[in-house]
Amino acid sequence: MMNIEQMLKNIPDLSDKPAVCLETTVLTHGMPYPDNVKCALACEEAVREEGAIPYTIGILNGEIKIGLTKEEIEELGKNTTAIKVSRKDIPYCIANSLTGSTTVAGTMFLANLAKIKIFATGGIGGVHRGFNETMDVSSDLTEFSKTPVSVVCAGPKAILDIPRTLEYLETQGVPVIGYQTKKMPLFYTRTSEYDLDISADDALQVAEMIHVSDVLGLKHGSLIVNPIPEDYSLDYSWMDERIQKALKMMEKDNITGKKVTPYLLDKLVALTEGQSLKSNVALIVNNAKVAGKIAYQLHSIKK
C-alpha cells in the first residue's frame, strides 16, 4: 500500500481551474467494451469543447487518480475485476492496493479532495423500487448532503422509484435544478409528470447558484438535471414496460446490492435491442457538455 499521507499530498488543488470530474463506473459496470472507452473519451472531449478541463477519476492498484490518461482509461475499460467503489469502499480499495471504478458517491468524495466543484455523469442512484421490502437507497443521495460537488445528470436512473428519490433529496436539503426544463427528466425520457421547484435557463444561472451556495458555506452539492437529447429520448411507457420485465428477471435471479444497477442496465440493452445503450451514450456525453459550460462560467465568476 502506498503511503496514504503522501498520496493525499499528491492530489492537486484544482480550485483555480474550470475543472469537471467524470466517474469510472461506466467503464467497468455500465457499458461493454469498447463502447465504454469510446464514451469516456467522448465525454472528456465534450468538456474540452466548452473551455473546461476533464478529470476522469478512479483508483488504480490502490492509488487515487484524479485525471486518468487515455491509456489508463483504455486499461480500466478492459478490466473485468475492478471493484465498484462508493464512499465506504475507498479505504478497502486503497489498503488492499486494488483497482476500482468510482460511483457517483465515490467520485464526489474524491473530487472534493481536489476541490473540483462540477461533476458529469449519466444518472444518479436513488431509492429503488420495492423499497418497502429491500430498504435499498443509494449512498449517492446522502453524499449530496455532505459534499459540495454539483452533479449534472439526466435525472435519476429510470429503474428507480422517482417520487421517493425526490422526497429523499428534499429531506436532505439538496437543490434539484432543472437545466432548461421545469420537469424532472427520467434518464431515457426527456420529461415527466414531476415538477421541479428550481430551474435555470443557462449555464451562467446554474454557476451563480453554485457560487452563492459556496460563499454561504452550505457545504452540500446540487443536482442539475439535464434532459436527454430529443433524438435519443425513448417513450416512457414503452421503456417502463421493459424495465418491469428486467426487474422480474432480477428478482428471479436474486440480484441485490451493488449488482442491481449493472444487471438491470445490461438486461435493458437486450430488451430494447440496443436502443437503451445508444441513448445512454448520448445522454452522458450531453451531460459532460453542459457540465463543461457550467464549470467555465463558475471559473469566470470566481476570477
Side-chain angles (χ1 to χ4, degrees):
M1 181 184 78
M2 182 178 178
N3 182 283
I4 186 63
E5 289 81 8
Q6 185 59 49
M7 190 188 303
L8 289 176
K9 288 179 182 178
N10 292 340
I11 292 176
D13 181 343
L14 300 172
S15 57
D16 63 341
K17 306 284 186 185
V20 174
C21 69
L22 302 162
E23 48 106 339
T24 39
T25 304
V26 67
L27 278 167
T28 59
H29 296 82
M31 296 180 190
Y33 180 83
D35 298 290
N36 53 357
V37 172
K38 290 178 182 177
C39 181
L41 296 176
C43 286
E44 289 203 340
E45 188 56 33
V47 170
R48 292 189 188 98
E49 287 174 357
E50 299 303 327
I53 307 169
Y55 293 88
T56 300
I57 291 177
I59 300 176
L60 301 184
N61 301 314
E63 183 179 357
I64 297 168
K65 293 281 187 173
I66 308 292
L68 297 179
T69 66
K70 184 177 180 180
E71 291 72 25
E72 287 170 336
I73 288 173
E74 179 79 22
E75 176 187 336
L76 192 55
K78 293 178 179 177
N79 191 310
T80 57
T81 60
I83 65 170
K84 195 174 176 182
V85 179
S86 188
R87 169 189 273 254
K88 71 177 180 61
D89 308 298
I90 293 171
Y92 168 72
C93 189
I94 293 172
N96 291 279
S97 300
L98 301 177
T99 290
S101 58
T102 50
T103 65
V104 169
T107 305
M108 288 176 72
F109 178 85
L110 296 179
N112 192 45
L113 294 180
K115 299 182 181 177
I116 299 175
K117 290 292 181 182
I118 308 298
F119 170 19
T121 186
I124 63 160
V127 180
H128 279 265
R129 302 189 193 193
F131 169 78
N132 289 345
E133 291 75 36
T134 65
M135 298 290 286
D136 191 347
V137 180
S138 171
S139 60
D140 293 355
L141 299 188
T142 53
E143 197 64 39
F144 276 99
S145 67
K146 54 194 174 189
T147 303
V149 175
S150 294
V151 180
V152 180
C153 75
K157 294 185 176 94
I159 57 179
L160 300 171
D161 184 324
I162 306 302
R164 279 189 168 135
T165 296
L166 287 172
E167 188 60 41
Y168 197 103
L169 288 166
E170 171 74 17
T171 300
Q172 295 291 323
V174 177
V176 180
I177 305 168
Y179 183 78
Q180 299 179 348
T181 182
K182 294 184 178 181
K183 296 284 188 179
M184 171 61 82
L186 297 182
F187 200 68
Y188 297 115
T189 307
R190 281 184 63 81
T191 189
S192 72
E193 62 189 282
Y194 307 111
D195 294 323
L196 296 172
D197 296 329
I198 307 171
S199 62
D201 295 329
D202 54 36
L204 176 58
Q205 279 189 296
V206 177
E208 286 172 339
M209 283 186 265
I210 294 169
H211 179 62
V212 170
S213 180
D214 286 344
V215 173
L216 290 173
L218 290 175
K219 300 189 185 303
H220 61 60
S222 300
L223 178 63
I224 300 118
V225 289
N226 175 42
I228 183 174
E230 198 162 353
D231 290 347
Y232 293 92
S233 181
L234 302 177
D235 178 76
Y236 177 76
S237 297
W238 181 85
M239 195 65 203
D240 194 58
E241 182 181 325
R242 281 145 186 82
I243 290 170
Q244 293 296 339
K245 288 181 180 178
L247 288 168
K248 288 178 181 177
M249 293 178 185
M250 181 188 77
E251 187 176 350
K252 181 181 177 183
D253 292 343
N254 197 30
I255 303 297
T256 59
K258 290 183 180 182
K259 296 179 181 178
V260 168
T261 299
Y263 176 93
L264 290 174
L265 292 177
D266 181 62
K267 293 300 180 186
L268 285 173
V269 172
L271 290 168
T272 63
E273 298 180 341
Q275 289 187 60
S276 65
L277 178 59
K278 291 178 183 177
S279 294
N280 203 356
V281 172
L283 67 84
I284 291 174
V285 175
N286 188 46
N287 293 339
K289 182 179 182 68
V290 170
K293 291 177 187 286
I294 296 168
Y296 178 84
Q297 294 293 347
L298 184 59
H299 179 64
S300 299
I301 291 170
K302 289 179 178 180
K303 286 179 68 179

